[in-house]
Amino acid sequence: MAEAGFGHGECRDSQMPAGDCTAPAVGKKRMSTVKEAGAGVPGAPGSKPGPAPDAKDDLKSLPVPEVEKRLASSPDGLKGAEAQQRLAKYGPNEITEKKDNQLLKLLTYFWGPIPWMIEAAVILSGVLRHWPDFFIILLLLVANAAVGFWEEHQAGKAIDALKAQLAVKCRVRRDGAWVTPPSRELVPGDVIRMRTGDIVPADARLLEGDPVQVDQSALTGESLPVTAGPGDAVYSGSVIKQGEIGALVYATGTGTYFGKTAELVQDARTVSHYQQAVLKIGKFLIILAVALVSVITVVSIVRGNAVLDTLQFALVLTVAGIPVAMPTVLSVTMAAGARLLAKKQAIVSRLVAIEELAGVDVLCSDKTGTLTQNKLTLGDPFAAGQVTAAQVILAAALASRADDDDTIDLAVLAGLDGQALSGYQVTHFRPFDPVGKRTEAAVTGPDGGAFKVTKGAPQVIMKLAGNSAQVKDAVDEAVGGFAARGFRSLGVARADGDGPWQLLGVLPLSDPPRTDAKSTIATARQLGVHVKMVTGDQVAIARETARTLGMGTGILDAASLGDTRQKASTAQAEAIENADGFAQVFPEHKYHIVDVLQQRGHIVGMTGDGVNDAPALKKADCGIAVSGATDAARAAASIVLMKPGLSVIIDAVKESRRIVQRMNSYAIYRIAETLRVLLFVTLAILVFNFFPVTAIMIVVLALLNDGSILSIAYDNVHYKNQPETWNMRLVIGMATVLGVIGPIAAFGLFLIGDEIFHLGHPQLQTLMYLMLSVAGSMTIYLTRTRGPFWSIRPARILVLAVTGAELIATALALSGILVPRLSWNWVLLVWGYAIVWFLITDRVKLAAYKILDPVKNRGAAQTRGTAPAGPPAAADESPPSLPGKADATATAAPFHTGAGSADAVFHDSSDCPYGQEIKRDGNDEPGAGGRRRCDWCARHPVSA
């Protein structure tokens, strides 16, 4: 028969809120019937022995009634007031992190190679009695330490805030009702309820219920889950792999066996590949600075200059050449980016995920809740034989549970009439698990007769049913018909007494696509991200949904992937790479798909929500836990979404690319400025035997530049319409071009002042200091754009910071404070000269980009947070010809991106998804003749 891999597993994101444990079964039942003496387990999970048990209070092995007695608790849990008293007594259910001593933390900024050099320069200034130098260099030392300490402190606060949003919650019985407080508020004596995918929040003894599978690998290293039943102990940090059960908490926080609760968020200081690359650049600049300064020192001493003066200058120049602010800028940029992503409802659990997300070119997305609304509607059921549609719905409803807040269960229950369930008593309920793909309930009917009902994936129910041979053809036809219309199918069966299962029928459930899904997928494609659907549904359903969303209809049946434990053949790998989506997928298929795509050179993002998705989420370059995911899935993911839908992922992709662009701008700027200062000073000393700037000028220059560049973390940038990858050749190449032009311009001004106007050496030094300061600050306007410097409006904070640094440098030169005084005429000359060279350098930059990065297709054009051009033509479409002026003048809500004259894109259709997004972003400008019509509009022309 045509298999329909439908089951609750794909709807897991629609159940309890993220981190919540499950609700109790319908109908109140006592949970205190447990194993008596001897029912406990050894002191540690698995086979590893624990410490000698405490004979006085061994709560993990005493009979549960005795544990209840000692904890003064019951199956109804604690009163709220009692819980608060115990919280005050036992403390929060968490391991208090060791807090760094803030004073000692601040002092560490005065310890290390770079601080040592600054401190040595301070000492030498004091020995030489150069008191202005002494205080300014001391100010540099203190400022570097203060800014670094404060920004790292702020970054730490940002990450703590993100951790708070990811705090695990659990379902606890308080005052006779089920509530979901944070797990840190658990106390001994609490009664909790856990379900598949929940992280066990505290050490607890299991109460009445079916045995559950518990994954203790994170605690013991054992790879296989263990079976735990009533009376057994489960330990904080383990994961419920399968099943649902209540438990009595007996130890929390530091009192737990392992003394540590599961961590969802890794250390905020994890260094990404991007940061490692930038730090390698920093090491290179240090070596370059030390080498050039060593040459200056030797030559200066050989020429007979004072040794101490030379050493002081050498130390200061070395400090100025070293990217002192680099760690701080990176920390600020990443933390600021994490806060921006959080505002878009994407919580970063690892800061490196920002870089990973920016580079994703393939996104494997769940269908339910991400591409669809996860709002199921029950259709007209198929009933087998003499069974009525009402009987099918009733049986399915009895195999459902409203308290679990599962979308499938709620849809089925909504199909009942009035009091249809009255008189029926559910005596036992087995919840859905992703392996069995069905639920089951034992029921006593109004007449006292006992029977069982089950619902789940049709192929699973068919294998279970004794009448499958008789109804196979009819069921196949029904399931196929439902699938062709985009309906998901749910098989329903019943067994009377101990008799065989009988298939009653199939329920069709519709889950319409999200209203924004189609335009979002088109935007993703235009961003260079290929969205592949991953669903447990039947191929026909997946294909229909994909067709509706414009994703392509190349849906691959996961069954055709073969043995996922074996390496994929070339043909299989190509099929996976070229597929538009995958149907009838099990968790092991997800891991295999990610693995194959990575081997084919792709940066892969994978969404997931269930406990069995955790391996694939960890394997992916960027694992994304969707809204409502289990604790285990969130723990494995790099990014956790706080609202459903694909649009939040695409928004996060855009934002992550902006963040990487800011880091890229900083890297080019930092290298260019280091080269500018070092090359100019070194050549001036070697060629002209003249120190073009004093030590104090270098210190002030470093202070102003490092202070203003912090604002780059908040700059306006244009994300690229292609995945971001670290292009070391391009970064170093562009920085070298800018770093070499700077000394050329500086020497031009030097020769003007020295050879033409014969300025005295003190004024000439001030002249060069002002030139280096003003021109250097302007460099950031060049590095932040690939187009002309005016193509992207800078953020106000950046303009204020850069302008402020330039004005301070100008004021020092005019007033004669710390440096010899310059007249207004010379100051204006410096500004005019710097602006002219700034404009020249901008043209050179554009030419350099054409040489260093010649492939600039339209899809790589930068945009103002929008999608300026249409998506590439689909595989079955020929590329549209670009319209001329006549086409561009078509009317009907005309507007263009305004992203720059190099690629002015015209939109003439009010239905254009890219145009709509542009208008929402407030970039709606009048169109003009001669602009290129966007690809989408070209394929969907409107009448003039």
Side-chain angles (χ1 to χ4, degrees):
M1 62 173 283
E3 292 190 343
F6 171 82
H8 294 229
E10 194 183 343
C11 286
R12 179 60 180 88
D13 63 335
S14 67
Q15 299 177 9
M16 293 302 298
D20 293 354
C21 302
T22 58
V26 174
K28 189 174 180 180
K29 45 182 182 177
R30 185 169 178 80
M31 297 182 289
S32 61
T33 305
V34 297
K35 296 179 181 179
E36 298 299 328
V41 295
S47 58
K48 296 187 179 181
D54 186 343
K56 179 181 179 181
D57 194 20
D58 192 9
L59 297 179
K60 59 181 169 288
S61 58
L62 286 173
V64 173
E66 180 64 23
V67 175
E68 291 177 349
K69 181 179 178 181
R70 294 199 181 193
L71 294 176
S73 183
S74 72
D76 285 331
L78 301 173
K79 297 291 185 182
E82 175 64 21
Q84 290 300 318
Q85 293 176 5
R86 296 192 184 191
L87 184 62
K89 176 180 179 181
Y90 295 105
N93 177 37
E94 62 186 6
I95 305 303
T96 304
E97 296 181 13
K98 182 180 179 181
K99 298 294 184 181
D100 293 330
N101 184 292
Q102 295 301 301
L103 177 60
L104 294 178
K105 184 72 175 176
L106 176 61
L107 292 177
T108 61
Y109 286 89
F110 296 93
W111 188 260
I114 295 176
W116 291 339
M117 284 190 284
I118 303 177
E119 289 157 5
V122 171
I123 294 172
L124 282 176
S125 299
V127 171
L128 295 171
R129 297 182 180 277
H130 293 173
W131 298 117
D133 292 10
F134 173 86
F135 287 110
I136 291 298
I137 298 174
L138 183 62
L139 177 62
L140 172 66
L141 177 67
V142 174
N144 276 334
V147 172
F149 171 78
W150 175 253
E151 292 297 345
E152 184 174 342
H153 176 68
Q154 291 298 101
K157 287 177 62 178
I159 299 304
D160 288 341
L162 297 181
K163 286 184 177 182
Q165 294 191 54
L166 292 181
V168 178
K169 295 184 178 181
C170 65
R171 196 157 179 81
V172 186
R173 195 161 183 83
R174 297 266 178 87
D175 294 319
W178 292 97
V179 294
T180 54
S183 63
R184 69 184 304 273
E185 297 179 9
L186 281 181
V187 296
D190 266 329
V191 171
I192 61 176
R193 189 83 179 167
M194 299 176 295
R195 71 190 302 178
T196 300
D198 287 338
I199 294 176
V200 178
D203 289 1
R205 298 289 295 278
L206 299 183
L207 300 174
E208 183 188 74
D210 293 333
V212 294
Q213 295 289 311
V214 184
D215 180 2
Q216 300 177 149
S217 59
L219 310 179
T220 67
E222 298 291 341
S223 59
L224 296 177
V226 298
T227 301
D232 289 343
V234 289
Y235 299 89
S236 172
S238 53
V239 179
I240 305 297
K241 289 284 288 184
Q242 182 177 328
E244 176 181 348
I245 199 169
L248 175 66
V249 174
Y250 68 83
T252 59
T254 54
T256 60
Y257 182 83
F258 286 90
K260 184 178 182 181
T261 55
E263 294 286 339
L264 278 184
V265 182
Q266 295 188 7
D267 197 319
R269 298 171 190 164
T270 303
V271 180
S272 72
H273 299 303
Y274 189 95
Q275 290 171 295
Q276 289 174 353
V278 175
L279 293 175
K280 286 179 181 178
I281 294 175
K283 293 178 181 178
F284 164 75
L285 293 179
I286 292 174
I287 295 173
L288 177 65
V290 171
L292 293 179
V293 170
S294 298
V295 172
I296 293 174
T297 303
V298 172
V299 171
S300 181
I301 292 176
V302 169
R303 289 174 174 172
N305 294 320
V307 175
L308 290 181
D309 285 337
T310 300
L311 288 177
Q312 181 205 28
F313 183 85
L315 286 170
V316 170
L317 183 59
T318 302
V319 170
I322 292 172
V324 178
M326 181 174 286
T328 301
V329 172
L330 291 177
S331 177
V332 172
T333 303
M334 297 292 272
R339 288 194 291 266
L340 288 172
L341 287 174
K343 291 180 180 179
K344 295 182 178 295
Q345 302 298 305
I347 307 300
V348 177
S349 62
R350 297 185 300 121
L351 281 183
V352 297
I354 293 174
E355 174 205 351
E356 294 163 347
L357 185 59
V360 165
D361 66 324
V362 175
L363 175 63
C364 297
S365 172
D366 274 349
K367 180 174 74 70
T368 303
T370 304
L371 300 177
T372 63
Q373 298 180 22
N374 199 22
K375 296 179 180 178
L376 298 179
T377 302
L378 185 64
D380 295 329
F382 160 78
Q386 302 300 314
V387 179
T388 65
Q391 289 174 322
V392 177
I393 297 175
L394 176 61
L398 291 171
S400 304
R401 188 163 57 179
D403 288 345
D404 282 353
D405 200 27
D406 181 274
T407 54
I408 294 177
D409 287 359
L410 294 178
V412 171
L413 291 169
L416 286 178
D417 295 328
Q419 302 295 318
L421 291 180
S422 60
Y424 293 93
Q425 181 180 2
V426 177
T427 57
H428 182 268
F429 186 85
R430 191 176 77 179
F432 173 85
D433 73 80
V435 177
K437 286 187 174 289
R438 68 185 183 93
T439 63
E440 181 181 321
V443 184
T444 301
D447 59 357
F451 61 93
K452 295 181 295 184
V453 288
T454 185
K455 73 179 192 308
Q459 68 270 24
V460 173
I461 303 301
M462 283 291 289
K463 291 178 181 178
L464 190 69
N467 63 335
S468 58
Q470 293 89 336
V471 298
K472 180 181 183 303
D473 292 340
V475 170
D476 283 350
E477 183 179 353
V479 171
F482 291 147
R485 294 157 52 198
F487 282 80
R488 303 163 64 186
S489 299
L490 187 69
V492 182
R494 169 174 171 153
D496 293 316
D498 295 327
W501 288 100
Q502 298 292 312
L503 188 139
L504 300 181
V506 179
L507 296 180
L509 295 167
S510 64
D511 185 10
R514 299 182 64 86
T515 55
D516 62 346
K518 186 172 183 178
S519 61
T520 302
I521 290 169
T523 301
R525 186 185 300 113
Q526 199 277 331
L527 290 172
V529 179
H530 183 195
V531 180
K532 295 179 182 287
M533 179 190 298
V534 180
T535 177
D537 279 345
Q538 188 187 3
V539 173
I541 300 173
R543 184 173 291 121
E544 173 63 20
T545 303
R547 185 194 62 78
T548 303
L549 296 177
M551 299 177 66
T553 56
I555 304 299
L556 192 64
D557 190 337
S560 66
L561 299 180
D563 188 351
T564 57
R565 294 168 296 181
Q566 303 295 323
K567 183 177 180 179
S569 65
T570 302
Q572 287 177 328
E574 290 179 351
I576 290 174
E577 185 176 32
N578 296 327
D580 296 312
F582 307 89
Q584 302 194 148
V585 170
F586 283 80
E588 60 269 21
H589 293 135
K590 285 189 174 184
Y591 185 95
H592 183 65
I593 291 167
V594 171
D595 186 38
V596 170
L597 289 172
Q598 288 174 332
Q599 292 178 21
R600 303 286 290 186
H602 295 284
I603 306 299
V604 184
M606 170 64 79
T607 67
D609 61 356
V611 62
N612 288 344
D613 291 335
L617 293 175
K618 286 184 179 180
K619 175 66 176 173
D621 296 282
C622 186
I624 303 170
V626 298
S627 173
T630 61
D631 296 341
R634 299 201 308 170
S638 303
I639 293 178
V640 179
L641 305 183
M642 305 306 288
K643 72 175 185 180
L646 184 65
S647 61
V648 65
I649 302 177
I650 302 305
D651 285 344
V653 168
K654 295 176 182 178
E655 195 59 55
S656 66
R657 292 185 185 180
R658 292 189 185 99
I659 295 164
V660 172
Q661 280 289 320
R662 295 184 184 105
M663 296 173 68
N664 189 71
S665 300
Y666 171 72
I668 297 176
Y669 168 82
R670 182 67 268 178
I671 299 171
E673 280 308 290
T674 298
L675 289 174
R676 178 200 299 265
V677 174
L678 289 177
L679 289 177
F680 174 67
V681 173
T682 301
L683 291 175
I685 293 174
L686 295 180
V687 177
F688 297 97
N689 191 22
F690 172 69
F691 285 79
V693 288
T694 64
I696 197 169
M697 291 175 182
I698 294 176
V699 172
V700 174
L701 183 66
L703 270 174
L704 294 178
N705 281 355
D706 286 348
S708 61
I709 196 59
L710 284 172
S711 60
I712 194 70
Y714 307 96
D715 188 27
N716 297 327
V717 293
H718 292 182
Y719 61 78
K720 289 165 60 178
N721 282 343
Q722 61 184 3
E724 288 281 1
T725 56
W726 175 249
N727 190 338
M728 186 76 74
R729 172 181 170 274
L730 182 61
V731 169
I732 293 180
M734 287 306 306
T736 302
V737 170
L738 298 177
V740 170
I741 292 178
I744 294 174
F747 275 116
L749 184 63
F750 174 79
L751 292 176
I752 291 173
D754 188 39
E755 298 294 332
I756 297 178
F757 293 98
H758 305 290
L759 277 177
H761 280 187
Q763 282 72 31
L764 190 57
Q765 287 177 322
T766 303
L767 188 76
M768 300 319 301
Y769 156 71
L770 186 59
M771 172 65 184
L772 290 175
S773 183
V774 173
S777 296
M778 289 181 178
T779 302
I780 189 58
Y781 294 130
L782 300 175
T783 64
R784 59 184 296 275
T785 69
R786 287 191 54 144
F789 71 89
W790 68 80
S791 59
I792 307 174
R793 185 178 62 186
R796 180 179 298 178
I797 186 173
L798 180 68
V799 174
L800 291 176
V802 171
T803 304
E806 293 171 337
L807 291 178
I808 291 174
T810 302
L812 292 177
L814 284 171
S815 64
I817 298 174
L818 301 178
V819 298
R821 184 178 178 277
L822 276 183
S823 67
W824 269 105
N825 294 337
W826 284 109
V827 169
L828 293 176
L829 173 64
V830 170
W831 270 88
Y833 187 85
I835 290 173
V836 169
W837 270 99
F838 170 77
L839 297 175
I840 294 172
T841 306
D842 192 48
R843 295 291 99 186
V844 175
K845 176 196 72 174
L846 297 178
Y849 268 120
K850 290 182 180 179
I851 296 172
L852 296 172
D853 192 24
V855 180
K856 184 186 178 185
N857 55 44
R858 195 164 282 115
Q862 294 178 332
T863 103
R864 180 181 285 116
T866 65
D876 57 348
E877 294 179 305
S878 58
S881 58
L882 299 181
K885 290 188 178 182
D887 291 320
T889 55
T891 57
F895 51 91
H896 67 86
T897 64
S901 58
D903 188 26
V905 182
F906 185 86
H907 301 267
D908 62 5
S909 172
S910 58
D911 294 328
C912 177
Y914 314 108
Q916 290 173 358
E917 183 177 2
I918 292 164
K919 294 179 78 173
R920 284 198 304 270
D921 288 348
N923 187 22
D924 182 7
E925 303 178 20
R931 300 186 183 278
R932 181 182 68 80
R933 185 188 292 181
C934 95
D935 296 342
W936 193 94
C937 290
R939 293 200 302 273
H940 304 80
V942 296
S943 301

